[in-house]
């Protein structure tokens, strides 16, 4: 029997289209792996075993099976997007346990492409923080189970890194795709504004949150992004020599970059130079006010998401975060600060096509009950390890995480690639160059 768990989405879909495998056997193998491993990993809030097998049979009976880009591919969905017949808990005890009547548009697009939803993945409460734990479980990094899988798409990242699904759906409001992808050794891209439908919470944090893929290969990320955007795959063309700015400067003052992540940038820069791109050291002109701008928008977005919930059922860190953001909702909604940041950074991106930075400043915090700890302690832990992602949610520009190098523990390190609006295809091309010359181990050795 062929072991489909651990295969890429592209390999699985090709096998199903060519009748070398059935959707049921593929999904059944992944469900068995979930049952065996998730007690240690904590990726899933809910597993849809019976429903997934029934839906796999429906996919296998489709008349257009040979045309489906994700034929029979098991996927996991972040627990802040609706899946028909399942509740959306968003990591909280304050949300209703009421089945959704319809799929979110991105979930519907995955299903239309032949994917089978096997479960909903753990998130921190209201998807606020950069570690994933709470009343529904703790998501651990499969490469280093003592450490958090990151957040807020931590459960989705952990599921993919452990081989429980080949790809997963997550979203990113301040780094919530790129942070767990970098932590768990995955590829992820936060698309630019308007590329993929958002519809996350009440206003998608003023348009800063975007849905996107988590995958083990650039090819899988590319296919999933095309499905989510409902557009044809961009052609693989030589983009020519791009001007790449490599920067180790943290957008947040006072945060230093640990050696493995600095080395990852240097290694990626070397690869890109050897493939014909122009790479030079250059730091974006981050304003001194960037940290405060990020904090006010982050807290204000949470305040909007929490306003109809029973605050007595929220964790203290979430209550504090939402309360701090309440006075800033109108200011954040105006978009003035985000436009000012774009105006400040646009000249830099007129001189450089792509920015290369560390994806993280250091490894993720320990897997622990952070939801029981104070707000300031959570903020300090998150800011110290993940300062590089928020600017690109504020601007609305595309950015992605790519595995490069390793930490002393053996867990993967990663870099971030950032581009101007509309540069998703160029970022994916650069990531493919890195993958070709510095391939990474796709699945963590968890069993």
């Amino acid at each position: 029997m062929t072991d489909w768990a651990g295969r890429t989405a592209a390999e699985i879909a090709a096998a199903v289209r060519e009748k070398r495998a059935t959707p049921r056997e593929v999904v059944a193998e992944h469900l068995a792996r979930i049952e065996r491993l998730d007690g240690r990993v904590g990726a899933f809030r809910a597993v849809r075993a019976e429903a997934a097998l029934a839906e796999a049979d429906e996919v296998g009976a489709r008349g257009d099976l040979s045309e489906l880009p994700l034929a029979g591919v098991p996927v996991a969905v972040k627990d802040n997007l609706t899946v028909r017949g399942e509740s959306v808990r968003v990591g909280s005890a304050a949300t209703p346990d009421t089945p959704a009547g319809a799929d979110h548009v991105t979930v519907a697009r995955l299903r239309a492409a032949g994917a089978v939803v096997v479960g909903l993945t753990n998130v921190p409460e209201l998807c606020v923080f950069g570690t994933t734990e709470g009343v529904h479980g703790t998501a651990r990094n499969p490469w280093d189970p003592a450490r958090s899988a990151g957040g807020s798409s931590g459960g989705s990242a952990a599921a993919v890194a452990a081989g429980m699904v080949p790809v997963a759906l997550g979203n990113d409001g301040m780094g919530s795709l790129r942070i767990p992808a970098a932590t768990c050794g995955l590829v992820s891209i936060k698309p630019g504004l308007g590329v993929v439908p958002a519809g996350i919470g009440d206003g998608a944090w003023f348009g800063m949150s975007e849905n996107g893929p988590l995958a083990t290969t650039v090819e899988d990320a590319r296919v999933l992004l095309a499905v989510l955007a409902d557009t044809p795959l961009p052609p693989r063309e030589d983009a020519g020599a791009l001007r790449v700015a490599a920067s180790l400067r943290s957008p947040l003052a006072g945060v230093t970059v640990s050696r493995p992540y600095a080395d990852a940038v240097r290694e990626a820069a070397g690869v890109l130079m050897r493939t014909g791109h122009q790479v030079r050291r250059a730091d974006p002109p981050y304003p001194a006010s960037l940290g405060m701008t990020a904090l006010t928008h982050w807290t204000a977005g949470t305040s909007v998401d929490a306003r109809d919930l029973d605050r007595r059922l929220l964790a203290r860190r979430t209550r504090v975060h939402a309360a701090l953001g309440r006075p800033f909702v109108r200011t954040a909604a105006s978009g003035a600060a985000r436009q000012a940041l774009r105006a400040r950074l646009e000249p830099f991106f007129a001189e450089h096509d792509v920015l290369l930075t560390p994806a993280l400043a250091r490894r993720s915090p320990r897997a622990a009950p952070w939801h029981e700890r104070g707000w300031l302690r959570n903020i300090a832990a998150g800011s110290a390890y993940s300062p590089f992602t928020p600017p690109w949610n504020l601007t609305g520009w595309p950015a992605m995480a790519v595995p490069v190098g390793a930490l002393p523990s053996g867990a993967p390190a990663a870099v971030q690639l950032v581009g101007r609006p509309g540069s998703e295809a160029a970022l994916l091309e650069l990531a493919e160059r890195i993958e070709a010359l510095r391939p990474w181990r796709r699945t963590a050795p968890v069993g």
Side-chain angles (χ1 to χ4, degrees):
M1 181 179 70
T2 302
D3 186 0
W4 295 107
R7 299 291 191 97
T8 68
E11 289 172 330
I12 290 170
V16 170
R17 288 193 298 265
E18 295 163 10
K19 304 293 180 69
R20 292 184 284 112
T22 67
R24 171 174 274 267
E25 69 181 284
V26 170
V27 169
E29 285 189 25
H30 285 83
L31 289 170
R33 188 168 174 87
I34 292 169
E35 185 175 9
R36 188 170 77 252
L37 298 181
D38 201 42
R40 285 181 273 159
V41 176
F44 286 91
R45 196 269 295 174
V47 177
R48 310 176 65 248
E50 185 176 342
L53 289 171
E55 290 166 17
D57 289 338
E58 293 173 5
V59 171
R62 284 177 58 167
D64 60 349
L65 183 67
S66 63
E67 302 170 7
L68 301 178
L70 295 174
V73 173
V75 300
V77 174
K78 185 176 180 179
D79 192 22
N80 66 342
L81 299 170
T82 56
V83 173
R84 184 181 64 251
E86 306 292 337
S87 59
V88 182
R89 302 307 305 272
V90 202
S92 181
T95 51
D97 190 17
T98 305
D103 289 330
H104 186 276
V105 60
T106 54
V107 176
R109 287 179 178 180
L110 292 176
R111 289 190 195 273
V116 177
V117 178
V118 298
L120 292 98
T121 56
N122 275 318
V123 299
E125 188 169 54
L126 304 191
C127 298
V128 173
F129 296 98
T131 57
T132 295
E133 64 290 303
V135 295
H136 300 294
T138 296
R140 298 173 178 271
N141 181 358
W143 293 94
D144 186 357
R147 298 279 161 179
S148 171
S152 64
S153 305
S156 286
V160 176
M164 292 188 277
V165 287
V167 289
L169 175 59
N171 37 57
D172 189 318
M174 280 282 165
S176 289
L177 281 166
R178 290 159 290 155
I179 292 168
T183 297
C184 296
L186 304 177
V187 179
S188 185
I189 182 164
K190 177 196 78 68
L193 184 66
V195 173
V196 172
I200 307 159
D202 189 357
W205 283 8
F206 316 106
M208 296 190 300
S209 293
E210 303 291 346
N211 292 308
L214 289 150
T216 64
T217 67
V218 179
E219 180 183 23
D220 278 2
R222 182 194 293 270
V223 171
L224 207 64
L225 179 63
V227 168
L228 295 173
D230 196 23
T231 57
L233 282 172
R236 285 179 169 83
E237 296 179 355
D238 188 347
L242 296 178
R243 301 165 299 170
V244 179
S247 175
L248 298 178
R249 180 191 169 194
S250 168
L252 298 182
V255 178
T256 58
V257 178
S258 66
R259 183 171 180 174
Y261 287 98
D263 287 346
V265 170
R266 297 185 185 102
E267 186 173 347
V271 168
L272 295 179
M273 283 191 287
R274 285 194 293 278
T275 56
H277 298 289
Q278 302 169 14
V279 182
R280 71 180 184 92
R281 180 73 180 265
D283 295 328
Y286 301 119
S289 60
L290 180 57
M292 184 55 66
T293 300
L295 183 64
T296 55
H297 284 72
W298 183 22
T299 56
T302 303
S303 180
V304 172
D305 286 345
R307 63 188 172 191
D308 294 327
L309 300 177
D310 185 342
R311 284 172 170 74
R312 296 170 298 179
L313 298 177
L314 296 174
R316 183 173 179 273
R317 66 175 181 175
T318 312
R319 291 199 306 270
V320 171
H321 203 77
L324 288 171
R326 211 165 296 135
F328 302 116
V329 169
R330 184 171 296 180
T331 300
S334 75
R338 302 198 301 283
Q339 180 53 44
L341 180 62
R342 284 191 288 268
R344 184 180 178 94
L345 293 171
E346 279 167 353
F348 180 85
F349 280 87
E351 295 182 15
H352 308 93
D353 300 304
V354 173
L355 172 65
L356 167 66
T357 76
L360 302 173
R362 54 183 46 81
R363 63 182 179 173
S364 64
R366 289 195 170 276
W370 288 94
H371 61 296
E372 298 175 357
R373 297 175 178 175
W375 177 82
L376 190 59
R377 192 174 176 187
N378 274 270
I379 295 300
S383 300
Y385 99 99
S386 58
F388 286 96
T389 55
W392 317 113
N393 297 90
L394 291 164
T395 61
W397 297 345
M400 68 181 300
V402 184
V404 177
L407 307 181
S409 67
V415 298
Q416 176 179 236
L417 299 172
V418 183
R420 295 185 291 256
S423 64
E424 288 85 0
L427 297 183
L428 288 163
E429 290 289 343
L430 290 183
E432 283 184 328
R433 300 286 181 91
I434 295 171
E435 183 180 26
L437 292 182
R438 289 291 184 274
W440 49 81
R441 188 173 178 181
R442 296 191 306 101
T443 305
V446 289

